[in-house]
Amino acid sequence: MRKRIGILTYRGEAGFTEPGFLRQLVKEGQRLGAEVFLFGPQDVRYSERRIRGYVPAESGWKSDWYGWPDIVIDRYRYYPTPKHSLYLPFRKQNWFHYANSRFTNKFRVHQVLSQDPSLVRWLPQTLPYTRDNLTLLLKQHRILYLKPTNGTGGRSILRVERLKGGYRLHGRTKQQAKSSEKLYSTTALCKRLEHWMEHEKNGNEQFFLQQGLALDLIPERIVDARLLAQKDGSGQWRLTGMGLRIGPPRSSTSNLHGGGKALPAAVFLAERFGEQEASRIILECKELALKTVACIEEHFGQMIEFGFDLGIDVAGRVWIIEMNPKPGRDIFRQLGQKKRYQQAVRRPLEYALYLLENEDVKRERNKDDIWVIEA
Ligand SMILES: Nc1ncnc2c1ncn2[C@@H]1O[C@H](COP(=O)(O)OP(=O)(O)O)[C@@H](O)[C@H]1O
Ligand SMILES: [Mg+2]
């Protein structure tokens, strides 16, 4: 039987937020022989067991009524703003067989990971924002980051650098406007950070402070790594690819959406650290990704993919900056790695089909068991 895969995503008046990727996703699913459609929470008619689904048309999208999906991949990128108010209650209802479990915010992820002694060495020191925590961290680190718990794309992040007799601040607002200023006392700094949070927060979102990492592998630039870990068609975690991102000059973040550019990892790291050290770094990145997903799945249930943002500092030390449960794949396209991009799009679908197949096999086996007993 042809399997039906629903992709849960945000659908607003202006359409879908990542239309290019979603088009590829539906097409890849069709190539795998599945029936795939996109839908938002508002498209579901639970009592009628049907859904208004969307698929790519020649130009734009066409919609139709679909039966209940065999499995749903949750690709909804949620932010705590009014236009996303339907999502959380909808997702909690668990009306579907989801391929990926619900996840949580960055700060909570950090807390969960830091309970595992084998992961602690990769975690930058991270504390909720309070004046006391700010003072404490400023004593230990020359650079701090202030970040919103639900941030994405480098938005609303402020970088604080301790100078002789003051602080330098660099940040990017929700609207991606760059901000830069100097302050001359810790009291002024507290006030500025509190004003920033008040202005930048979505709903009642919290902010946290993080040890700043020395990621200037190129002077005056932030360089970090993006590693994509995905489940494959046999249910195993695989590392689909890795690339580096270099932020624009004087930017506090490297995100591609904030003007960052992609670089191939192995070549750049070998030039910067030498062949041997580069191999060690890449191996460590892979090892930490696999360890981390295992820990996360223990806490949150089965997951489908993560885009890791990893710091590689000037001493070659590797750090987990964050892990994105609904990651983009643009880095592979920017690197000209078309095959890898396609594989990155396809893998979650293959995994969803694997889950269904396995259930079918289990069901068949149970039938046999009953038959054996009855005989
Ligand atoms: N503690 C840190 N030290 C140095 N750079 C950081 C730190 N935290 C974040 N950054 C930079 O900012 C970028 C965005 O931060 P991240 O936590 O990934 O938030 P977002 O969800 O907005 O991408 C990172 O990719 C990195 O370039
Ligand atoms: Mg990030």
Side-chain angles (χ1 to χ4, degrees), residues 255 309 322 324:
N255 302 61
D309 289 344
E322 68 154 344
N324 299 279

Side-chain angles (χ1 to χ4, degrees), residues 127-358:
L127 291 170
Y129 176 85
T130 63
R131 288 190 176 196
D132 284 348
N133 285 342
L134 177 67
T135 316
L136 181 85
L137 288 176
L138 278 173
K139 277 192 198 133
Q140 298 175 42
H141 309 285
R142 197 176 58 81
I143 299 168
L144 293 186
Y145 272 71
L146 177 72
K147 306 200 279 194
T149 51
N150 290 298
T152 148
R155 270 169 247 123
S156 306
I157 291 180
L158 201 57
R159 170 192 166 95
V160 179
E161 195 179 343
R162 181 160 43 78
L163 310 168
K164 264 191 201 136
Y167 303 96
R168 155 96 51 217
L169 272 57
H170 274 294
R172 218 137 35 78
T173 66
K174 275 196 253 191
Q175 286 76 33
Q176 299 280 18
K178 271 198 197 160
S179 99
S180 169
E181 62 196 294
K182 228 174 143 181
L183 296 168
Y184 296 92
S185 75
T186 310
T187 316
L189 176 67
C190 288
K191 284 200 179 135
R192 183 65 188 99
L193 297 193
E194 284 157 21
H195 181 259
W196 176 271
M197 291 186 281
E198 199 47 44
H199 225 253
E200 290 291 321
K201 72 177 180 196
N202 284 325
N204 50 17
E205 185 179 44
Q206 304 292 307
F207 279 67
F208 61 90
L209 294 164
Q210 189 163 75
Q211 159 190 1
L213 308 169
L215 303 182
D216 47 338
L217 297 184
I218 297 174
E220 310 275 319
R221 302 282 194 111
I222 299 258
V223 181
D224 63 15
R226 169 50 77 93
L227 187 155
L228 183 62
Q230 299 183 294
K231 289 253 187 80
D232 71 2
S234 60
Q236 303 295 314
W237 280 104
R238 300 286 294 271
L239 302 167
T240 307
M242 177 171 165
L244 300 182
R245 305 175 301 183
I246 165 169
R250 287 174 304 283
S251 169
S252 50
T253 61
S254 68
N255 302 61
L256 300 180
H257 281 297
K261 293 275 171 288
L263 288 175
V267 180
F268 177 87
L269 292 175
E271 269 173 29
R272 180 66 174 72
F273 292 103
E275 294 274 349
Q276 213 179 347
E277 178 72 345
S279 306
R280 196 270 306 155
I281 290 171
I282 292 173
L283 205 65
E284 187 173 333
C285 291
K286 292 179 175 173
E287 181 197 344
L288 82 78
L290 293 176
K291 278 198 174 171
T292 305
V293 291
C295 168
I296 287 298
E297 282 196 310
E298 254 176 48
H299 273 84
F300 296 97
Q302 108 203 339
M303 296 292 175
I304 203 162
E305 60 180 346
F306 281 105
F308 282 87
D309 289 344
L310 301 176
I312 297 161
D313 72 16
V314 290
R317 196 166 161 190
V318 179
W319 301 88
I320 300 174
I321 297 175
E322 68 154 344
M323 49 198 294
N324 299 279
K326 290 158 191 171
R329 290 113 165 94
D330 284 350
I331 188 156
F332 303 124
R333 268 226 298 242
Q334 276 207 21
L335 289 171
Q337 301 175 352
K338 275 200 194 127
K339 275 239 162 81
R340 212 185 285 272
Y341 176 82
Q342 196 187 7
Q343 186 176 48
V345 175
R346 203 169 47 223
R347 274 197 166 146
L349 297 158
E350 288 172 335
Y351 175 62
L353 291 173
Y354 156 83
L355 286 177
L356 291 175
E357 224 166 79
N358 260 35

